[in-house]
Structures are given as structure tokens and as C-alpha cells.
Amino acid sequence: MGLQMYSLLLLYYLISSLVCDAVAFAEASEGISDVYCERILRAQTQGTRRDGHHEFRLRMEGDPETYRPGSTYRVVLMATSPAYFRGFTLIALKEGREGTVEDDYAGQFQIIDEGETQFMTDCPPAVTESTPRRRTRIQVFWTAPAVGAGCVTLKASIFQKKIIYFQDEGSLTIPLCEKEHAFGEATETPEMDCCACGTAKYRLTFHGNWSEKVHPKDYPRRANHWSALIGASHSKSYMLWEYGGFATEGVRQVAEFGSPIRMEEEIRQKLAISRTIPHRSMVLFKGNEVMTVIKTKAQWPAWQPLNLRAAPSAEFFVDRARHLMSFLTMLGPSPDWNVGLSGEDLCTKECGWIQKLVADLIPWDAGTDSGVTYESPNKPTIPQDKIRPLTSLDHPQSPFYDPEGGAIIPLARITVERIARTGQQCNVIPDTLDDIMTDIGHEEKKEDNIPETCIYSEWSPWSACSSATCEKGRQMRQRMLKAQLDPTVPCPHTQDFQPCMTPECTVEETFTCMMSEWISWSPCSVSCGMGMRSRERYIKQFPEDSSLCQHQIEETEKCVVNDECSPSGCVMTEWLEWEPCSTTCGLGTRRRERMIKMPSRDGSICNAEMAEVEKCMMPKCHTIPCMLSPWSAWSECSVTCGLGIRTRQRMLNSDSVECPEELEQSEKCMLPECPIDCMVSDWSDWYECNKSCGKGHTIRTRMVKLEPQFGGSTCPETIQRKKCKIRKCQTKTKEETREVGGKRRRHGKAGSDAVVGDQQGCRMQSWTSWTYCSKSCGGGIQERFMYLKKRVKGSLENNCKDRKEIRACHVHPC
């Protein structure tokens, strides 16, 4: 009974405390957006919290002390047996912040298993359990914030029955600060030695983000591309390139010209090399610092949607001795700008292999060219500068310049994902389910990933093996693309390759020695006449039984610089590399050249061939889709007011024989209406004077043809009047006025409209009514008439005639 009462009291205490905390939280959150939580990991005093308690642990894969901006890390919350937890909360806060506003949170979590984890409803940046149940482990991905976020703290709370565990310092908190490279500072070399066992296989995928939309300033619309990516998995004692170091000749050629040939030669010099001394059964080892050469093809143009071209990728291996990965690729055109990683460690402190690495890449300067814009002319930097990252304050003409000194938007993102492990593993932390499934999935035979819109023929039989010896060769089979239902989806996989050997070689011999590709031929041993040249290859993998490799690692052959070495013969250089094929599909030609190294001693003309041309076959043209650049911005409207036309263009970046896509578009553009001035007709002739004698006036008119619109000039006058004086009117005697023809003349106001008896010896009728106006608007005229009724004997002939008067009417504009 006493125990039950104690339990009820404890339960009452816990509920009261939680209610009080909830009220306090609501009061503290007043005025704060409902979507953000406040102090969700506030330390609780009830329960059995103990300092230094390590039943529960929050850890990040590899236990790093710093984070690389934009990189992705695996975060694990675990309990040591027999402990467990029912629920949890996980957040990432900027240093000194409390989670009351959006800006307090740093980075972004990514759910791995939706059955185990989810984002909190009332606190979106935080991760919590999907269902409350007993568990000992959960895991999520966390992507670090962008450059400039500073220090970050990952915090977790554990809910176990009615007890909340949380520690501001200790096993449930991970403090991390941003990892930075200072200018001129050498790239860090991993301090620890790798303790992992076996080997791991990774896939590197390069996602270019350098485009006119994301980086619009001075973006080169023509010839923008990424060069071939070149890199290696290697040991700590060898660095391909590093911040604060100087570029090698191979790095310079990649940085300035995008050529990986010299860089690959430098890398292959560090591959495991063995050479057998005849008659001594002795093997000399010459370097063992590179495990795999990493290569991808160049990308033209620099950016395209993934439905037209998959992101380039390459696979490579690492082991305990060679657990670092480095690569670089040039953005072109540019003076000597590249992106890449240097000495990235794929080994963890727990003697395992990192599952996934994601990193955003910003450009860096190789220190060999002093140009400041994409298409600056070549200007070698003498003396050579150290490799350094570009910044937004380097030069006002730089395409990355920002007067406020903001961060450069990343030009690319690299994803390195573990796809398999071989050999016995010795990682301290047990494998998770996704680790095991990854390895099993790689062992299974990959299905042919054929898009549904691609219809192929059956595969042809395998060709003969390319190797006539017991060295590993390749054989090929082909199939035809019969139909492509969706032109926007590419149809690859028309060729397939597999390793092979001659039938007389045993299977055991196939896997004894793995040889590298041949390195290019050395220069001819003579400058004139016949000499010798050689090339080498290296042993990439030795036999498991430690036996000797019997394969040839060096070849020699004769070479001729000049057919004759007479005084009239000139000395020529070696042939340069073949230029690219003249077409990207079908049959084309390629060319190579050489130059005169030394003219003939007798001054005669050099007759040696300076160029060679040969045929080259590229893939069938119908397999190449139309590759188009993004549309340019619309041009200015063709007019300054009213209706006009504007245009935009895009370029064809592939050599497609027929491309139905339009390369130019035009559309109408409407600007504010143009002002329209008033338009009037010409003046009419002057009308007759309104008086037949004495002073009068006359008018002339013109018509409004178009009213002013949209602010145009107003209409001028449409009627003009002027005086007119004909002859002086004659005065009459009183007797003539009193009586004309026996009738008396009435004088007064209505005299002009009355029947006129005798006026100046003439008998006139009264005035007629005014005629209708000649126009309904714009200025017309009206007329009225007085006709002669009877001529009185003895009257002047000129005074006896019909009369007419005119006046203006309807003078308002039309």
C-alpha cells in the first residue's frame, strides 16, 4: 500500500512539473513563430541524470573535430547494452544560440530510415522518433552549413520511460568548428595511420553546377566545358596537389590547357612498379604510393540536364596504405582555374571505411597564369605562385567578384559513395544493415539499365580477344538501336566489353599479375636517321602467392627521325599528338603535325612531311542527340514605343546531322503607346465677302483629320477670318428712300428681312433661311441668299444682282 502511494505521488510530481514547464515554454515563446521550438533540449532535473553517465552516446562517423562546409556526415545515436531508449530529439545549433529563431539552426538533417526517424511537427529542424518503442540505435545524415557558419553543436536528448537524459557537455553533445584553409597554408596531411582492413571500392560522381543561370557574370557562352577529371587514390607520402604548394608540370597542363596526359604520367610513376633483373631472379620495387588512377571524360558544354547526359563518374579502390583520394578538373575557358579535392581521407578512426562523402567545390588558382577573367590572354606568372583558393575580392574584373566579400557559389559538387568492400574487415563498430546490403548488392549481377523508350536489337556475338598473349585483353559485342520513342531520353549501352585472354592461358594465370596500360613512347634516341624508342608499363597487382610476374614491362622499337642525314637533310621534331577527330559521329579525319627542329646544313629546302592525316571512326550519327545551350536573354524591343519584336538565340553544341530544334525565337513586345499628333487638312479657298459693298469679312476653313492621342500635340485653329472691303455703298436722297415705284420703304429692325421695294433702283426679295451646315464637325459654313425681284428702270446695272451671305458653323473638333 505504501509503495503504491509513493508511486502515485511521484507520478503526480512529474506531471505537475511537465505542465509547469509547458506553461513556461508557452510564455517564453510569446511573439515567436509557431514553427520554431524554444529550448527543446532544456536540461531536466527530475529522473536519474548523473554527470559522466555514458550509457548513451551521440557520435559522428570518423569522430571529426571540424566540419567541411557543405559536406555530409553520418550521425549515430546509440545506447550501450543493456540500456535502451524509447524516444529522442536531435538538433544542430550555431554556437551560443538557443533555437528560438530559424537562423539559430545549422546545417540540415536527412532521414535515412523513415520507420525509425522523422522531423518534429512543431520544430521542423529537429529529428525525433517515428514511433515510441525500445531501440538501441538510430542514424541520420547531417549536411554541414555553407562557408562562414562558424562553430556548431549537435545535441541529443534521450527519453527512457519517464526520465529525460541530456548533457550540455559529454557523450550526448558534439562540438564542431568550420574547417578552413588559409591562403598559402599547406593542405593538411592526415595525422593518423589507417587501421582498416581489406579494400573498399568507391564511386566518384561529379555534378557540375557552373552555368550561366547560377554564375551569370561574364559567363562564356562559347566553349564552356569541364576538362577530363584526373586523380588517384594514394598514400600520405604522395600528394597530387595541395593548397600552399606549387603546381607540378602535370597540374599546370591540366589547369591551363585541360590536358590530363602529363598528370596521368606523373601519377603512374607512383604506381607499384616492379622490374625483373635477368639471370638474378630479383625484383626491384620503384614506388608503391598509388593504388588506382581516377579518370572521367571531359564535358562539353559545362552544364546539361541529366536527361541528356548522366553525371560523369569513376570507380576506384583504397586500402590501408593508400586511403587518401585526390583529383582535379579544369573549368574552361579560364586562365588556370580548377576545382577538386586534395588528400581526402576515406579511412575512419574505427578502422572502417567512410560510407558517403559529399563536398561542394569552389574554384582555386594554380598559380601559373595571371589572368583575371575567363578569357584573359595567356600571361604566365613568373615566378610561379602557390596554389590558393579564389575569393570574391581578388579583382574587380573577376567573374566571382563581390564588393561585399561574400562566399563564392560552389561550381560543382562531388559525391564519393562506397559501393563494395573486399577482404576481411576489422572495423570496431559493427556493420549496419545498409553496409551489408551495399556489399551484397555489388556482388549481385547488375541488370542492364535500359530506358523504357529505347528498343534495341539482340547482342552480337563476342569479338575476338584484343590480346594475343596471356595478358588481359578485351572483347566487344554490339547491338543496334531500333527505335527511340522519346528523343529527349538518351539511349546508351550500344557496346559492351568484357576482359578476356587467349584460350591457351589458364584461369590461374589471369589473376596472377595485373598490369597497367602502356605509357606513351619516349623520344627517339637520335635526332637524325634511325634510332630506338621505348615505353613502359607497371605491375598494378602482384600474385597472391608472392611469385614473380613474367609479363613484359618494357618495349622498344626502331624509330626514324629523318630518312637521310645528308647535309641537305633537316632535323624534325617528334610527331605531336593526334588532334581530335573532325566529326563527333560517323567517319572523319584527324591530323597531327611536326616541326623543323634544325634546318639543313646546306640551306636547302626541307622536303620532310610536316603533317599526317588519317581516317577516324566515331559512333553512328543517329545516336547523338541534339545538345543545345540554354536560351540567351531576350533582346531589347525593336521599337521605343508601341508594338515591336524581340528575339533570343541558343547554340547547337553537338554535331548532329539533323536537329529539328529551333535556334532562334521571336515574339511581339508592347511598350507604352506612341504619342499621336493632331492632323488637319489644307486650308480651303477664302469664301466671298459677306457684304456686297462697304466693309465686311470673309473666312476660310480646314478640317481635323485625326484627333491627338496619348499625349500628342493639340489641334491648331480650323477657321480663319479677315476683313474685306469692296466698293463704297452709294447714299440715296430722302425722296428715293420714301418711295420707290410708288411704294414706301419701311425702316427699322426688320427692314433687312422685309420685302424690299426699291433699293438703289432694284426691287429685291427677302433673305432666305440659312442652309444646312456643310459639315457636322471640324468647321463648316452656312449660306443664305437674297434674289433680285425686279429691275427698276434707270437703275445701275451693277447694283441689281443677287446677294449672298456666309457664316461658320460646327467649329468643334470631330
Side-chain angles (χ1 to χ4, degrees):
M1 184 68 178
L3 181 60
Q4 292 177 351
M5 182 62 70
Y6 176 79
S7 300
L8 290 173
L9 289 173
L10 178 60
L11 178 60
Y12 175 78
Y13 173 76
L14 290 175
I15 294 174
S16 300
S17 300
L18 292 174
V19 170
C20 293
D21 286 346
V23 173
F25 175 81
E27 293 175 354
S29 302
E30 187 174 353
I32 299 175
S33 176
D34 293 335
V35 298
Y36 293 105
C37 42
E38 179 185 16
R39 301 177 182 269
I40 61 170
L41 298 182
R42 180 183 298 167
Q44 305 294 316
T45 56
Q46 61 267 35
T48 59
R49 176 188 174 202
R50 300 189 301 273
D51 291 334
H53 192 68
H54 294 291
E55 288 180 316
F56 308 104
R57 182 188 177 196
L58 179 67
R59 66 172 298 272
M60 184 178 288
E61 186 178 33
D63 289 335
E65 297 180 354
T66 59
Y67 69 87
R68 188 186 299 273
S71 296
T72 300
Y73 303 87
R74 185 192 298 267
V75 179
V76 182
L77 181 61
M78 63 184 71
T80 56
S81 181
Y84 65 90
F85 55 95
R86 293 181 179 275
F88 72 96
T89 307
L90 178 62
I91 62 171
L93 295 175
K94 295 179 181 177
E95 188 177 41
R97 306 291 183 90
E98 295 183 352
T100 57
V101 294
E102 179 182 6
D103 190 54
D104 289 354
Y105 297 89
Q108 186 175 10
F109 289 103
Q110 178 183 344
I111 302 299
I112 296 178
D113 185 355
E114 295 182 354
E116 288 284 339
T117 56
Q118 66 178 4
F119 292 104
M120 291 186 70
T121 304
D122 55 349
C123 182
V127 178
T128 188
E129 74 277 0
S130 296
T131 55
R133 64 176 181 81
R134 292 175 58 148
R135 51 173 58 82
T136 59
R137 176 189 177 95
I138 65 96
Q139 57 181 345
V140 294
F141 284 129
W142 178 71
T143 301
V147 175
C151 294
V152 173
T153 303
L154 274 66
K155 294 185 176 184
S157 63
I158 294 293
F159 300 88
Q160 187 187 49
K161 294 184 180 178
K162 299 172 184 177
I163 302 170
I164 301 175
Y165 289 89
F166 170 73
Q167 294 171 318
D168 283 319
E169 298 175 358
S171 58
L172 291 178
T173 301
I174 301 177
L176 297 169
C177 286
E178 183 177 344
K179 181 179 182 180
E180 297 182 339
H181 286 294
F183 293 163
E185 177 184 337
T187 306
E188 296 178 6
T189 301
E191 296 179 357
M192 70 171 187
D193 290 326
C194 181
C195 58
C197 301
T199 62
K201 185 178 183 180
Y202 286 90
R203 179 182 292 114
L204 178 152
T205 307
F206 183 85
H207 302 275
N209 190 41
W210 180 48
S211 64
E212 187 173 11
K213 181 178 180 181
V214 182
H215 304 87
K217 184 180 179 184
D218 301 331
Y219 186 80
R221 292 186 178 180
R222 298 181 181 273
N224 59 81
H225 69 283
W226 290 105
S227 73
L229 183 148
I230 182 71
S233 56
H234 56 93
S235 66
K236 293 194 300 181
S237 59
Y238 171 57
M239 298 297 288
L240 280 69
W241 68 273
E242 56 184 338
Y243 292 123
F246 290 98
T248 64
E249 178 60 22
V251 172
R252 186 190 73 82
Q253 291 194 16
V254 174
E256 293 188 19
F257 312 117
S259 171
I261 297 174
R262 183 62 180 272
M263 186 73 186
E264 184 175 355
E265 290 181 359
E266 292 178 357
I267 294 173
R268 291 188 182 279
Q269 293 291 337
K270 302 295 181 178
L271 281 165
I273 306 169
S274 69
R275 178 169 297 179
T276 304
I277 300 179
H279 311 300
R280 295 187 184 181
S281 300
M282 186 176 178
V283 179
L284 298 179
F285 292 94
K286 179 187 173 185
N288 192 25
E289 285 143 2
V290 170
M291 186 169 189
T292 311
V293 179
I294 303 172
K295 297 167 61 178
T296 68
K297 293 183 179 180
Q299 302 178 70
W300 294 77
W303 183 90
Q304 275 197 355
L306 292 179
N307 63 348
L308 291 183
R309 182 188 65 200
S313 62
E315 296 178 357
F316 64 94
F317 292 87
V318 292
D319 61 8
R320 176 181 293 187
R322 295 154 294 188
H323 54 96
L324 305 183
M325 182 271 296
S326 301
F327 76 91
L328 70 158
T329 176
M330 179 200 75
L331 60 149
S334 71
D336 57 348
W337 299 341
N338 289 246
V339 299
L341 291 179
S342 175
E344 194 67 36
D345 197 350
L346 302 178
C347 186
T348 69
K349 293 181 179 179
E350 293 77 25
C351 304
W353 301 106
I354 288 177
Q355 174 73 25
K356 187 177 182 180
L357 168 69
V358 179
D360 289 324
L361 307 176
I362 62 173
W364 51 267
D365 191 311
T368 60
D369 193 290
S370 300
V372 295
T373 65
Y374 287 125
E375 300 182 270
S376 293
N378 289 334
K379 185 180 179 182
T381 302
I382 302 174
Q384 184 174 333
D385 284 342
K386 294 180 179 180
I387 296 174
R388 66 170 185 87
L390 293 176
T391 74
S392 60
L393 294 175
D394 285 339
H395 195 282
Q397 294 181 4
S398 168
F400 309 111
Y401 181 73
D402 180 1
E404 298 181 358
I408 295 177
I409 299 176
L411 273 66
R413 169 171 287 187
I414 194 74
T415 302
V416 181
E417 191 168 12
R418 197 183 75 218
I419 57 177
R421 292 176 300 177
T422 57
Q424 184 66 36
Q425 302 295 311
C426 56
N427 42 308
V428 175
I429 299 177
D431 289 342
T432 60
L433 180 61
D434 57 350
D435 292 335
I436 298 171
M437 293 303 297
T438 298
D439 294 337
I440 293 175
H442 181 73
E443 293 173 0
E444 296 176 354
K445 185 176 181 180
K446 296 181 180 178
E447 295 294 331
D448 193 7
N449 186 19
I450 301 175
E452 295 181 357
T453 62
C454 303
I455 301 175
Y456 295 97
S457 65
E458 295 296 327
W459 285 107
S460 67
W462 287 104
S463 66
C465 192
S466 62
S467 174
T469 66
C470 286
E471 300 173 7
K472 182 184 286 188
R474 290 200 310 172
Q475 54 185 170
M476 181 187 72
R477 62 177 182 174
Q478 294 179 310
R479 60 181 176 183
M480 300 295 294
L481 178 62
K482 299 172 67 176
Q484 186 176 5
L485 304 182
D486 187 354
T488 64
V489 178
C491 291
H493 313 307
T494 56
Q495 293 182 333
D496 192 15
F497 298 89
Q498 71 175 11
C500 61
M501 76 198 83
T502 53
E504 56 270 16
C505 297
T506 64
V507 177
E508 295 179 356
E509 290 175 329
T510 307
F511 301 101
T512 54
C513 290
M514 183 180 295
M515 307 298 294
S516 71
E517 298 292 331
W518 289 102
I519 291 181
S520 57
W521 290 100
S522 66
C524 197
S525 60
V526 298
S527 59
C528 183
M530 181 175 292
M532 299 295 293
R533 65 176 184 174
S534 63
R535 64 176 182 175
E536 293 180 336
R537 61 178 177 175
Y538 311 116
I539 299 173
K540 297 177 64 176
Q541 182 173 320
F542 292 91
E544 296 182 0
D545 59 0
S546 300
S547 60
L548 300 178
C549 286
Q550 303 298 326
H551 298 300
Q552 185 179 4
I553 62 172
E554 186 174 7
E555 283 184 346
T556 59
E557 69 174 16
K558 296 178 180 180
C559 55
V560 177
V561 177
N562 286 327
D563 294 334
E564 57 180 71
C565 294
S566 62
S568 60
C570 48
V571 179
M572 308 296 295
T573 63
E574 291 291 317
W575 288 105
L576 299 177
E577 296 290 334
W578 287 103
E579 295 176 356
C581 195
S582 60
T583 61
T584 56
C585 64
L587 182 63
T589 59
R590 63 177 186 172
R591 172 188 175 92
R592 67 175 181 177
E593 297 178 346
R594 61 179 177 178
M595 296 176 290
I596 299 175
K597 189 174 182 180
M598 185 182 300
S600 57
R601 286 177 289 177
D602 59 1
S604 59
I605 298 176
C606 184
N607 295 320
E609 292 291 335
M610 304 294 291
E612 284 185 345
V613 179
E614 69 175 15
K615 295 180 181 179
C616 51
M617 175 63 73
M618 301 300 287
K620 292 185 177 180
C621 293
H622 71 270
T623 62
I624 301 178
C626 292
M627 299 172 64
L628 301 169
S629 69
W631 285 106
S632 66
W634 286 104
S635 66
E636 297 292 333
C637 197
S638 59
V639 296
T640 57
C641 61
L643 182 64
I645 299 293
R646 64 177 186 173
T647 60
R648 66 176 183 177
Q649 297 83 27
R650 60 180 175 181
M651 295 184 296
L652 179 64
N653 293 328
S654 62
D655 293 335
S656 303
V657 176
E658 294 182 1
C659 186
E661 301 294 333
E662 58 181 347
L663 300 180
E664 184 171 357
Q665 286 182 345
S666 61
E667 68 175 13
K668 295 179 181 179
C669 50
M670 175 62 74
L671 295 177
E673 294 287 351
C674 300
I676 299 177
D677 296 334
C678 177
M679 294 179 61
V680 295
S681 65
D682 294 333
W683 287 105
S684 65
D685 295 333
W686 289 101
Y687 290 100
E688 292 182 6
C689 191
N690 67 332
K691 300 289 185 180
S692 60
C693 64
K695 296 180 179 179
H697 70 270
T698 182
I699 62 172
R700 66 174 181 177
T701 62
R702 59 181 173 184
M703 183 176 58
V704 176
K705 299 172 67 177
L706 181 63
E707 290 289 339
Q709 299 180 49
F710 311 113
S713 60
T714 58
C715 291
E717 60 180 350
T718 56
I719 299 176
Q720 284 185 347
R721 183 189 303 264
K722 71 176 181 177
K723 295 179 180 180
C724 55
K725 185 177 181 181
I726 306 180
R727 56 184 175 80
K728 187 175 180 180
C729 296
Q730 294 182 1
T731 60
K732 299 181 179 180
T733 64
K734 292 181 180 179
E735 291 77 9
E736 291 174 335
T737 304
R738 277 194 201 104
E739 185 175 355
V740 178
K743 293 185 180 179
R744 293 188 65 86
R745 173 73 174 166
R746 289 177 55 188
H747 297 276
K749 186 175 182 180
S752 61
D753 293 331
V755 177
V756 178
D758 187 7
Q759 187 178 29
Q760 296 182 352
C762 301
R763 187 177 293 273
M764 307 296 294
Q765 292 182 353
S766 60
W767 288 104
T768 65
S769 300
W770 290 104
T771 62
Y772 289 107
C773 192
S774 61
K775 297 176 184 176
S776 61
C777 61
I781 59 171
Q782 288 178 294
E783 298 176 327
R784 69 176 180 174
F785 303 92
M786 179 185 290
Y787 298 106
L788 178 66
K789 185 176 182 181
K790 182 178 180 182
R791 188 186 302 273
V792 178
K793 185 177 180 181
S795 62
L796 295 176
E797 184 176 353
N798 291 336
N799 292 336
C800 295
K801 62 180 180 180
D802 295 337
R803 299 181 182 179
K804 179 175 71 172
E805 283 188 346
I806 59 174
R807 70 178 182 184
C809 57
H810 294 172
V811 295
H812 60 276
C814 295

